[in-house]
Amino acid sequence: MLQNPNQIPIQKVIFPDSDISNVFVLRLDAIDPYLGGNKYFKLLYNIEEIKKTEYETIITFGGAYSNHLAAFASLKNNFPNKQFIAIVRGDESMVEKSPTLKRLQKLNIEINFVHAGLYRELCNNFNHDYFHQFKNSFILPEGGSNDLAVKGCSHIVELIPSTFQYVLLPIATGATMAGIISGLPSNQIVHGIAVLKGKEFLQNNIEYARCNDCESVKRLSSLYSLTELKKIPDDSIDLICTSPPYDNIEGSGYSKQQKDVLFLKLYSDFM
């Protein structure tokens, strides 16, 4: 775990020309420029799994600007004798435009470019013939989201003060939200914002991850898409969604009741 949890600041969000004073940001991105944010927690127990088993090859997936790939690359120094492979959706022309892919190359991480159809097949089927070319491999899912990631993300709760009634975070695969829900007291409410299309699959992902915890599943009512957020009346929901990383959202809801809201900043802006 973190050697010094105090390195993660909680910053107050200032809204010019507004009397809103109860919104704060937990800067998980301050842990590390590349291995920070939720990726630190997602990889926590996956690293332990890699250490205790003699895997020769570590494989994962991502796009050209994936913060998961950036975090994955940071593990290379811990395992210099293992082969690291990134399966990337797209082609080699993307390297010139992507700081993330350039860094992977610099760290001697093998990049295998595949077309979108094959990429999706590989993400969904770890028994695919494609993987037979790699010896004794450990496959880390897209976004680093697996059961070990959910377990790691449960530790984020240790950094969330009990004074915050609402916790708001962006979600892609749902693993981080599932982990937080599993450890958060029942008087604190988690609101997830889907940053990708397909909110329904996220609901299924989170419920699957928390299928043994009925109370956690019941607390998943606040899962919004960015489009839905823009349509929420100002007086219909007890949170505000106009601070980073969603400072371009207009018309998102806020109740007049003064209840503290904590945003989780999950990534650095290096990409």
Side-chain angles (χ1 to χ4, degrees):
M1 287 299 295
L2 293 171
Q3 296 297 314
N4 179 21
N6 293 327
Q7 74 186 85
I8 307 176
I10 294 178
Q11 298 178 341
K12 188 171 184 177
V13 179
I14 305 300
F15 297 92
D17 303 319
S18 172
D19 59 356
I20 298 171
S21 61
N22 63 329
V23 179
F24 300 80
V25 177
L26 177 63
R27 292 290 306 279
L28 293 175
D29 63 309
I31 297 173
D32 182 90
Y34 299 106
L35 193 54
N38 60 335
K39 301 307 178 188
Y40 172 90
F41 298 93
K42 280 187 168 185
L43 292 172
L44 192 64
Y45 289 107
N46 279 291
I47 292 172
E48 294 303 312
E49 177 67 18
I50 294 170
K51 283 181 178 178
K52 71 182 183 183
T53 309
E54 294 301 318
Y55 294 108
E56 298 179 36
T57 307
I58 315 300
I59 304 171
T60 198
F61 313 85
Y65 303 95
S66 164
N67 57 1
H68 167 63
L69 287 186
F72 173 73
S74 296
L75 302 183
K76 179 62 175 175
N77 289 335
N78 295 331
F79 303 101
N81 297 323
K82 297 184 185 296
Q83 181 183 20
F84 274 53
I85 297 174
I87 297 175
V88 177
R89 182 180 59 251
D91 57 59
E92 294 183 5
S93 66
M94 305 175 74
V95 174
E96 188 60 32
K97 303 175 183 178
S98 168
T100 298
L101 296 184
K102 288 179 181 178
R103 181 167 172 266
L104 262 63
Q105 288 186 332
K106 185 177 180 180
L107 293 172
N108 296 317
I109 292 174
E110 180 180 328
I111 302 175
N112 290 358
F113 292 98
V114 298
H115 62 77
L118 178 57
Y119 179 88
R120 188 49 50 198
E121 286 182 29
L122 298 179
C123 286
N124 293 332
N125 180 14
F126 293 172
N127 293 316
H128 196 285
D129 290 345
Y130 181 91
F131 296 114
H132 294 170
Q133 62 185 298
F134 308 115
K135 294 182 179 180
N136 192 20
S137 59
F138 178 85
I139 303 177
L140 193 58
E142 185 179 31
S145 297
N146 56 14
D147 290 345
L148 293 174
V150 174
K151 180 181 178 182
C153 287
S154 68
H155 290 289
I156 295 176
V157 173
E158 299 165 13
L159 304 171
I160 300 175
S162 59
T163 52
F164 291 98
Q165 183 169 358
Y166 297 106
V167 177
L168 182 67
L169 71 156
I171 51 176
T173 62
T176 302
M177 186 173 181
I180 291 174
I181 288 172
S182 70
L184 208 64
S186 59
N187 64 320
Q188 291 180 289
I189 301 170
V190 183
H191 294 278
I193 301 175
V195 297
L196 302 174
K197 292 181 180 180
K199 189 183 74 169
E200 292 73 20
F201 93 89
L202 280 172
Q203 187 86 16
N204 294 334
N205 279 5
I206 298 170
E207 290 187 8
Y208 175 78
R210 300 306 316 150
C211 61
N212 293 323
D213 187 342
C214 294
E215 286 304 311
S216 291
V217 172
K218 290 177 183 177
R219 293 165 62 196
L220 295 179
S221 58
S222 297
L223 181 60
Y224 305 104
S225 68
L226 295 180
T227 301
E228 288 171 331
L229 273 178
K230 295 178 181 179
K231 298 178 181 178
I232 296 175
D234 285 345
D235 60 353
S236 67
I237 185 169
D238 297 322
L239 58 89
I240 183 164
C241 310
T242 52
S243 72
Y246 300 113
D247 52 5
N248 62 336
I249 293 178
E250 301 293 338
S252 50
Y254 176 65
S255 168
K256 296 301 182 181
Q257 302 176 49
Q258 294 299 304
K259 299 175 181 178
D260 286 341
V261 178
L262 182 67
F263 290 84
L264 306 188
K265 191 171 192 300
L266 302 182
Y267 54 84
S268 299
D269 301 323
F270 61 86
M271 297 174 292

Tab-separated table of all heavy atoms in Angstrom, residues 178-220:
chain	number	residue	atom	x	y	z
A	178	ALA	N	-17.031	-0.493	-8.281
A	178	ALA	CA	-17.384	-1.711	-7.550
A	178	ALA	C	-16.536	-1.860	-6.303
A	178	ALA	O	-17.030	-2.222	-5.229
A	178	ALA	CB	-17.223	-2.932	-8.452
A	179	GLY	N	-15.235	-1.574	-6.428
A	179	GLY	CA	-14.346	-1.689	-5.281
A	179	GLY	C	-14.684	-0.687	-4.197
A	179	GLY	O	-14.692	-1.013	-3.005
A	180	ILE	N	-14.979	0.547	-4.595
A	180	ILE	CA	-15.317	1.583	-3.619
A	180	ILE	C	-16.622	1.248	-2.911
A	180	ILE	O	-16.741	1.374	-1.688
A	180	ILE	CB	-15.402	2.952	-4.314
A	180	ILE	CG1	-13.995	3.396	-4.753
A	180	ILE	CG2	-16.022	3.999	-3.398
A	180	ILE	CD1	-13.976	4.658	-5.569
A	181	ILE	N	-17.605	0.812	-3.677
A	181	ILE	CA	-18.889	0.453	-3.071
A	181	ILE	C	-18.716	-0.646	-2.028
A	181	ILE	O	-19.360	-0.639	-0.979
A	181	ILE	CB	-19.887	0.012	-4.158
A	181	ILE	CG1	-20.345	1.213	-4.974
A	181	ILE	CG2	-21.102	-0.682	-3.552
A	181	ILE	CD1	-21.185	0.846	-6.175
A	182	SER	N	-17.825	-1.581	-2.298
A	182	SER	CA	-17.653	-2.720	-1.392
A	182	SER	C	-17.126	-2.316	-0.028
A	182	SER	O	-17.337	-3.021	0.960
A	182	SER	CB	-16.704	-3.747	-2.013
A	182	SER	OG	-15.377	-3.263	-2.050
A	183	GLY	N	-16.436	-1.168	0.043
A	183	GLY	CA	-15.846	-0.782	1.316
A	183	GLY	C	-16.414	0.469	1.935
A	183	GLY	O	-16.074	0.814	3.072
A	184	LEU	N	-17.279	1.164	1.217
A	184	LEU	CA	-17.787	2.436	1.712
A	184	LEU	C	-18.936	2.227	2.701
A	184	LEU	O	-19.793	1.385	2.486
A	184	LEU	CB	-18.274	3.273	0.525
A	184	LEU	CG	-18.236	4.789	0.673
A	184	LEU	CD1	-16.812	5.278	0.832
A	184	LEU	CD2	-18.878	5.456	-0.541
A	185	PRO	N	-18.958	2.968	3.812
A	185	PRO	CA	-20.071	2.872	4.764
A	185	PRO	C	-21.401	3.175	4.087
A	185	PRO	O	-21.454	3.919	3.107
A	185	PRO	CB	-19.725	3.936	5.816
A	185	PRO	CG	-18.245	4.124	5.703
A	185	PRO	CD	-17.920	3.924	4.247
A	186	SER	N	-22.465	2.622	4.621
A	186	SER	CA	-23.784	2.743	3.989
A	186	SER	C	-24.315	4.172	3.983
A	186	SER	O	-25.215	4.495	3.205
A	186	SER	CB	-24.788	1.834	4.707
A	186	SER	OG	-24.881	2.184	6.081
A	187	ASN	N	-23.771	5.049	4.827
A	187	ASN	CA	-24.263	6.433	4.854
A	187	ASN	C	-23.584	7.305	3.805
A	187	ASN	O	-23.916	8.478	3.655
A	187	ASN	CB	-24.055	7.040	6.235
A	187	ASN	CG	-22.588	7.162	6.607
A	187	ASN	OD1	-21.806	6.259	6.310
A	187	ASN	ND2	-22.221	8.244	7.260
A	188	GLN	N	-22.636	6.737	3.058
A	188	GLN	CA	-21.995	7.477	1.978
A	188	GLN	C	-22.472	6.900	0.644
A	188	GLN	O	-22.565	5.689	0.480
A	188	GLN	CB	-20.469	7.395	2.095
A	188	GLN	CG	-19.926	8.173	3.295
A	188	GLN	CD	-18.418	8.071	3.402
A	188	GLN	OE1	-17.875	7.028	3.727
A	188	GLN	NE2	-17.730	9.172	3.135
A	189	ILE	N	-22.729	7.782	-0.303
A	189	ILE	CA	-23.354	7.389	-1.563
A	189	ILE	C	-22.378	7.612	-2.714
A	189	ILE	O	-21.747	8.657	-2.801
A	189	ILE	CB	-24.641	8.196	-1.802
A	189	ILE	CG1	-25.629	7.963	-0.639
A	189	ILE	CG2	-25.290	7.811	-3.132
A	189	ILE	CD1	-26.824	8.892	-0.654
A	190	VAL	N	-22.285	6.609	-3.578
A	190	VAL	CA	-21.392	6.690	-4.729
A	190	VAL	C	-22.193	7.028	-5.980
A	190	VAL	O	-23.187	6.375	-6.285
A	190	VAL	CB	-20.649	5.357	-4.951
A	190	VAL	CG1	-19.674	5.495	-6.119
A	190	VAL	CG2	-19.916	4.930	-3.694
A	191	HIS	N	-21.743	8.046	-6.713
A	191	HIS	CA	-22.344	8.406	-7.990
A	191	HIS	C	-21.302	8.149	-9.072
A	191	HIS	O	-20.205	8.694	-9.027
A	191	HIS	CB	-22.752	9.884	-8.021
A	191	HIS	CG	-23.848	10.226	-7.065
A	191	HIS	ND1	-25.172	10.018	-7.352
A	191	HIS	CD2	-23.807	10.758	-5.826
A	191	HIS	CE1	-25.915	10.419	-6.333
A	191	HIS	NE2	-25.107	10.862	-5.393
A	192	GLY	N	-21.634	7.322	-10.058
A	192	GLY	CA	-20.723	7.035	-11.147
A	192	GLY	C	-21.154	7.731	-12.421
A	192	GLY	O	-22.340	7.795	-12.735
A	193	ILE	N	-20.180	8.270	-13.160
A	193	ILE	CA	-20.457	8.921	-14.439
A	193	ILE	C	-19.796	8.094	-15.535
A	193	ILE	O	-18.579	7.954	-15.579
A	193	ILE	CB	-19.908	10.350	-14.487
A	193	ILE	CG1	-20.520	11.184	-13.361
A	193	ILE	CG2	-20.198	10.994	-15.832
A	193	ILE	CD1	-19.946	12.566	-13.253
A	194	ALA	N	-20.598	7.527	-16.417
A	194	ALA	CA	-20.074	6.702	-17.509
A	194	ALA	C	-19.449	7.605	-18.564
A	194	ALA	O	-20.116	8.450	-19.152
A	194	ALA	CB	-21.192	5.869	-18.118
A	195	VAL	N	-18.146	7.430	-18.799
A	195	VAL	CA	-17.455	8.278	-19.771
A	195	VAL	C	-17.440	7.646	-21.163
A	195	VAL	O	-16.995	8.272	-22.117
A	195	VAL	CB	-16.010	8.572	-19.314
A	195	VAL	CG1	-16.024	9.344	-18.015
A	195	VAL	CG2	-15.210	7.284	-19.166
A	196	LEU	N	-17.899	6.408	-21.269
A	196	LEU	CA	-18.007	5.728	-22.558
A	196	LEU	C	-19.472	5.408	-22.840
A	196	LEU	O	-20.304	5.436	-21.930
A	196	LEU	CB	-17.187	4.430	-22.553
A	196	LEU	CG	-15.696	4.576	-22.240
A	196	LEU	CD1	-15.061	3.195	-22.128
A	196	LEU	CD2	-14.999	5.405	-23.292
A	197	LYS	N	-19.786	5.068	-24.055
A	197	LYS	CA	-21.146	4.696	-24.408
A	197	LYS	C	-21.485	3.332	-23.817
A	197	LYS	O	-20.624	2.485	-23.626
A	197	LYS	CB	-21.304	4.646	-25.928
A	197	LYS	CG	-21.201	6.002	-26.621
A	197	LYS	CD	-21.393	5.860	-28.114
A	197	LYS	CE	-21.293	7.215	-28.805
A	197	LYS	NZ	-21.470	7.089	-30.277
A	198	GLY	N	-22.758	3.127	-23.527
A	198	GLY	CA	-23.196	1.820	-23.055
A	198	GLY	C	-23.275	1.728	-21.551
A	198	GLY	O	-22.608	0.915	-20.912
A	199	LYS	N	-24.097	2.576	-20.953
A	199	LYS	CA	-24.230	2.577	-19.501
A	199	LYS	C	-24.742	1.246	-18.968
A	199	LYS	O	-24.388	0.807	-17.873
A	199	LYS	CB	-25.192	3.709	-19.079
A	199	LYS	CG	-25.247	3.935	-17.587
A	199	LYS	CD	-26.261	5.005	-17.237
A	199	LYS	CE	-27.688	4.501	-17.387
A	199	LYS	NZ	-28.674	5.432	-16.814
A	200	GLU	N	-25.553	0.558	-19.769
A	200	GLU	CA	-26.167	-0.690	-19.301
A	200	GLU	C	-25.124	-1.767	-19.022
A	200	GLU	O	-25.218	-2.498	-18.031
A	200	GLU	CB	-27.171	-1.195	-20.345
A	200	GLU	CG	-28.418	-0.319	-20.494
A	200	GLU	CD	-28.141	0.998	-21.206
A	200	GLU	OE1	-27.109	1.087	-21.915
A	200	GLU	OE2	-28.937	1.934	-21.058
A	201	PHE	N	-24.093	-1.871	-19.881
A	201	PHE	CA	-23.083	-2.899	-19.643
A	201	PHE	C	-22.302	-2.597	-18.371
A	201	PHE	O	-21.847	-3.503	-17.681
A	201	PHE	CB	-22.142	-3.033	-20.850
A	201	PHE	CG	-20.897	-2.199	-20.786
A	201	PHE	CD1	-19.743	-2.703	-20.191
A	201	PHE	CD2	-20.858	-0.916	-21.322
A	201	PHE	CE1	-18.586	-1.939	-20.133
A	201	PHE	CE2	-19.709	-0.155	-21.263
A	201	PHE	CZ	-18.563	-0.668	-20.665
A	202	LEU	N	-22.165	-1.316	-18.035
A	202	LEU	CA	-21.484	-0.958	-16.794
A	202	LEU	C	-22.267	-1.425	-15.587
A	202	LEU	O	-21.711	-1.936	-14.620
A	202	LEU	CB	-21.297	0.563	-16.720
A	202	LEU	CG	-20.139	1.141	-17.521
A	202	LEU	CD1	-20.209	2.661	-17.512
A	202	LEU	CD2	-18.818	0.674	-16.955
A	203	GLN	N	-23.575	-1.231	-15.635
A	203	GLN	CA	-24.421	-1.696	-14.544
A	203	GLN	C	-24.235	-3.192	-14.344
A	203	GLN	O	-24.069	-3.671	-13.228
A	203	GLN	CB	-25.891	-1.400	-14.865
A	203	GLN	CG	-26.854	-1.693	-13.713
A	203	GLN	CD	-26.967	-0.519	-12.750
A	203	GLN	OE1	-26.580	0.591	-13.085
A	203	GLN	NE2	-27.471	-0.774	-11.574
A	204	ASN	N	-24.204	-3.937	-15.439
A	204	ASN	CA	-24.003	-5.384	-15.353
A	204	ASN	C	-22.628	-5.729	-14.806
A	204	ASN	O	-22.473	-6.644	-13.988
A	204	ASN	CB	-24.192	-6.028	-16.734
A	204	ASN	CG	-25.617	-5.925	-17.233
A	204	ASN	OD1	-26.545	-5.832	-16.431
A	204	ASN	ND2	-25.799	-5.941	-18.541
A	205	ASN	N	-21.598	-4.998	-15.261
A	205	ASN	CA	-20.243	-5.249	-14.785
A	205	ASN	C	-20.125	-5.054	-13.287
A	205	ASN	O	-19.534	-5.859	-12.572
A	205	ASN	CB	-19.251	-4.292	-15.473
A	205	ASN	CG	-18.863	-4.756	-16.857
A	205	ASN	OD1	-19.391	-5.749	-17.356
A	205	ASN	ND2	-17.950	-4.039	-17.482
A	206	ILE	N	-20.695	-3.950	-12.805
A	206	ILE	CA	-20.579	-3.628	-11.384
A	206	ILE	C	-21.378	-4.620	-10.547
A	206	ILE	O	-20.923	-5.091	-9.500
A	206	ILE	CB	-21.044	-2.188	-11.113
A	206	ILE	CG1	-20.137	-1.210	-11.875
A	206	ILE	CG2	-21.003	-1.876	-9.623
A	206	ILE	CD1	-20.632	0.216	-11.873
A	207	GLU	N	-22.567	-4.976	-11.002
A	207	GLU	CA	-23.377	-5.941	-10.269
A	207	GLU	C	-22.695	-7.309	-10.242
A	207	GLU	O	-22.727	-8.010	-9.233
A	207	GLU	CB	-24.762	-6.038	-10.905
A	207	GLU	CG	-25.596	-4.789	-10.684
A	207	GLU	CD	-27.026	-4.965	-11.160
A	207	GLU	OE1	-27.391	-6.097	-11.509
A	207	GLU	OE2	-27.764	-3.971	-11.167
A	208	TYR	N	-22.052	-7.680	-11.350
A	208	TYR	CA	-21.336	-8.961	-11.381
A	208	TYR	C	-20.184	-8.952	-10.376
A	208	TYR	O	-19.974	-9.905	-9.637
A	208	TYR	CB	-20.793	-9.233	-12.777
A	208	TYR	CG	-19.949	-10.483	-12.856
A	208	TYR	CD1	-20.546	-11.737	-12.895
A	208	TYR	CD2	-18.563	-10.403	-12.871
A	208	TYR	CE1	-19.778	-12.885	-12.945
A	208	TYR	CE2	-17.780	-11.544	-12.920
A	208	TYR	CZ	-18.398	-12.787	-12.958
A	208	TYR	OH	-17.628	-13.918	-13.006
A	209	ALA	N	-19.450	-7.823	-10.345
A	209	ALA	CA	-18.312	-7.729	-9.435
A	209	ALA	C	-18.750	-7.767	-7.980
A	209	ALA	O	-18.030	-8.249	-7.107
A	209	ALA	CB	-17.529	-6.446	-9.717
A	210	ARG	N	-19.953	-7.270	-7.713
A	210	ARG	CA	-20.444	-7.204	-6.338
A	210	ARG	C	-21.597	-8.178	-6.099
A	210	ARG	O	-22.420	-7.982	-5.213
A	210	ARG	CB	-20.928	-5.775	-6.018
A	210	ARG	CG	-19.875	-4.715	-6.150
A	210	ARG	CD	-18.622	-5.006	-5.332
A	210	ARG	NE	-18.965	-5.466	-4.004
A	210	ARG	CZ	-18.208	-6.307	-3.305
A	210	ARG	NH1	-17.117	-6.818	-3.833
A	210	ARG	NH2	-18.554	-6.665	-2.094
A	211	CYS	N	-21.667	-9.258	-6.869
A	211	CYS	CA	-22.834	-10.148	-6.838
A	211	CYS	C	-23.043	-10.806	-5.478
A	211	CYS	O	-24.144	-11.243	-5.171
A	211	CYS	CB	-22.706	-11.221	-7.918
A	211	CYS	SG	-21.274	-12.297	-7.727
A	212	ASN	N	-22.014	-10.855	-4.658
A	212	ASN	CA	-22.148	-11.473	-3.341
A	212	ASN	C	-22.503	-10.463	-2.264
A	212	ASN	O	-22.547	-10.784	-1.089
A	212	ASN	CB	-20.847	-12.191	-2.962
A	212	ASN	CG	-20.578	-13.384	-3.864
A	212	ASN	OD1	-21.502	-14.089	-4.252
A	212	ASN	ND2	-19.323	-13.594	-4.215
A	213	ASP	N	-22.738	-9.235	-2.675
A	213	ASP	CA	-23.031	-8.179	-1.712
A	213	ASP	C	-24.304	-7.464	-2.142
A	213	ASP	O	-24.280	-6.511	-2.894
A	213	ASP	CB	-21.854	-7.194	-1.647
A	213	ASP	CG	-22.022	-6.157	-0.539
A	213	ASP	OD1	-23.155	-5.968	-0.061
A	213	ASP	OD2	-21.009	-5.550	-0.153
A	214	CYS	N	-25.433	-7.942	-1.665
A	214	CYS	CA	-26.727	-7.412	-2.097
A	214	CYS	C	-26.872	-5.928	-1.771
A	214	CYS	O	-27.423	-5.164	-2.565
A	214	CYS	CB	-27.865	-8.191	-1.444
A	214	CYS	SG	-27.967	-9.908	-1.987
A	215	GLU	N	-26.386	-5.514	-0.611
A	215	GLU	CA	-26.522	-4.121	-0.233
A	215	GLU	C	-25.753	-3.226	-1.181
A	215	GLU	O	-26.202	-2.141	-1.534
A	215	GLU	CB	-26.029	-3.908	1.214
A	215	GLU	CG	-26.988	-4.442	2.262
A	215	GLU	CD	-28.382	-3.833	2.108
A	215	GLU	OE1	-28.487	-2.597	1.988
A	215	GLU	OE2	-29.367	-4.589	2.095
A	216	SER	N	-24.579	-3.662	-1.611
A	216	SER	CA	-23.796	-2.867	-2.551
A	216	SER	C	-24.534	-2.707	-3.871
A	216	SER	O	-24.574	-1.632	-4.460
A	216	SER	CB	-22.432	-3.517	-2.808
A	216	SER	OG	-21.626	-3.449	-1.660
A	217	VAL	N	-25.135	-3.783	-4.339
A	217	VAL	CA	-25.853	-3.734	-5.606
A	217	VAL	C	-27.010	-2.749	-5.521
A	217	VAL	O	-27.292	-2.013	-6.462
A	217	VAL	CB	-26.353	-5.135	-6.004
A	217	VAL	CG1	-27.264	-5.053	-7.211
A	217	VAL	CG2	-25.179	-6.050	-6.297
A	218	LYS	N	-27.692	-2.708	-4.386
A	218	LYS	CA	-28.814	-1.795	-4.228
A	218	LYS	C	-28.386	-0.340	-4.306
A	218	LYS	O	-29.192	0.532	-4.597
A	218	LYS	CB	-29.492	-2.048	-2.871
A	218	LYS	CG	-30.246	-3.367	-2.793
A	218	LYS	CD	-30.816	-3.566	-1.403
A	218	LYS	CE	-31.512	-4.916	-1.267
A	218	LYS	NZ	-31.997	-5.145	0.107
A	219	ARG	N	-27.109	-0.072	-4.077
A	219	ARG	CA	-26.628	1.302	-4.033
A	219	ARG	C	-26.112	1.772	-5.391
A	219	ARG	O	-25.361	2.720	-5.475
A	219	ARG	CB	-25.536	1.429	-2.974
A	219	ARG	CG	-26.042	1.222	-1.555
A	219	ARG	CD	-24.909	0.997	-0.592
A	219	ARG	NE	-24.033	2.149	-0.530
A	219	ARG	CZ	-22.812	2.121	-0.012
A	219	ARG	NH1	-22.335	0.993	0.464
A	219	ARG	NH2	-22.061	3.203	0.021
A	220	LEU	N	-26.509	1.131	-6.452
A	220	LEU	CA	-26.023	1.481	-7.772
A	220	LEU	C	-27.016	2.321	-8.569
A	220	LEU	O	-26.950	2.370	-9.782
A	220	LEU	CB	-25.695	0.203	-8.564
A	220	LEU	CG	-24.557	-0.620	-8.008
A	220	LEU	CD1	-24.351	-1.868	-8.859
A	220	LEU	CD2	-23.280	0.174	-7.946
